[in-house]
Amino acid sequence: MADDGEQVVPWLLTGLQRVRRWQLGHSSGFGSRHITLGRMADGRWLAEDSDTARGSHAYRSRERAERAVAELMWEGEWTEVPAVLDANGRADGWIRRGNTWMRDRSEDAPEQG
């Protein structure tokens, strides 16, 4: 059975857990775009594109969703950013320096999966 992906609308999904996210361009700049890998409440995997014209798709396997994410990012210089921010704009395992997010490599940083 093919896992071609079902088009979904991420903001209508309940129980969505965003796992990894990448950014193209400056976060507040014109033309900024995000690609996100997530896990839906029903167990399927999501390849989410902030460009709504391209759409977001659900897949049965993580591997297929990861391949879809890679295909979406084939062009440009993508930077990994936190998938989720808390109410204070912070992310576990990440630090922000100016407008740039980077992994926190300090000894007391939480483990990354």
Side-chain angles (χ1 to χ4, degrees):
M1 180 182 267
D3 194 6
D4 296 330
E6 172 190 348
Q7 190 160 6
V8 295
V9 181
W11 56 88
L12 297 178
L13 300 173
T14 57
L16 174 62
Q17 295 178 325
R18 289 176 171 89
V19 178
R20 294 185 73 188
R21 175 175 277 183
W22 296 266
Q23 173 181 305
L24 177 66
H26 187 274
S27 60
S28 61
F30 175 78
S32 176
R33 187 171 155 214
H34 289 88
I35 302 296
T36 306
L37 175 69
R39 183 85 189 249
M40 296 168 46
D42 65 5
R44 292 182 296 165
W45 288 88
L46 177 72
E48 178 183 359
D49 192 333
S50 64
D51 181 348
T52 56
R54 296 174 192 263
S56 299
H57 295 82
Y59 299 92
R60 287 187 300 277
S61 75
R62 180 177 181 148
E63 293 77 20
R64 179 60 185 99
E66 288 174 338
R67 192 165 62 243
V69 163
E71 290 166 3
L72 291 168
M73 296 190 309
W74 73 275
E75 186 175 35
E77 291 188 35
W78 292 85
T79 304
E80 189 173 12
V81 295
V84 179
L85 300 177
D86 67 16
N88 296 314
R90 296 186 188 114
D92 285 343
W94 291 85
I95 55 174
R96 188 167 186 144
R97 297 286 184 250
N99 289 327
T100 303
W101 284 100
M102 57 190 77
R103 294 270 185 187
D104 185 356
R105 304 289 184 206
S106 66
E107 290 182 19
D108 55 341
E111 291 284 323
Q112 295 296 309

